[in-house]
Amino acid sequence: MEEKIAGETPHQPGCFFCQTAIPLMEKIWSDATRDHFRNSRIEFLKGIRSLIDDRIEHLSREEAPKGTRVTVE
């Protein structure tokens, strides 16, 4: 079992992305580039949240159908 070290990405043996792509990106990308992509992920998720909030607000504005009155004898 692999131990998880704080701030380190867990790497899977045999995985191309874990063994090649991530270490390559870590060497090539500067801290500023890494921060940019992190912020873009955050902004993307905020956009999705905004779409969901708008849809919830739209559905909440619609008037619910009123029930019918039934006379009980």
Side-chain angles (χ1 to χ4, degrees):
M1 181 180 221
E2 288 185 42
E3 289 185 28
K4 205 172 191 184
I5 301 171
E8 187 176 305
T9 307
H11 299 293
Q12 299 295 320
C15 173
F16 167 78
F17 193 74
C18 294
Q19 296 294 319
T20 307
I22 291 176
L24 183 63
M25 286 187 291
E26 288 173 349
K27 289 178 186 176
I28 294 173
W29 287 1
S30 67
D31 289 338
T33 304
R34 206 177 347 263
D35 290 344
H36 173 74
F37 280 105
R38 180 182 177 280
N39 291 337
S40 71
R41 287 192 306 259
I42 291 170
E43 291 301 319
F44 177 79
L45 292 173
K46 286 180 180 179
I48 297 295
R49 180 173 60 189
S50 175
L51 290 172
I52 292 169
D53 290 343
D54 288 345
R55 186 64 183 152
I56 290 171
E57 184 179 329
H58 174 75
L59 291 173
S60 298
R61 278 190 302 223
E62 290 180 3
E63 195 172 307
K66 298 196 178 195
T68 56
R69 188 171 289 264
V70 178
T71 347
V72 179
E73 295 179 13

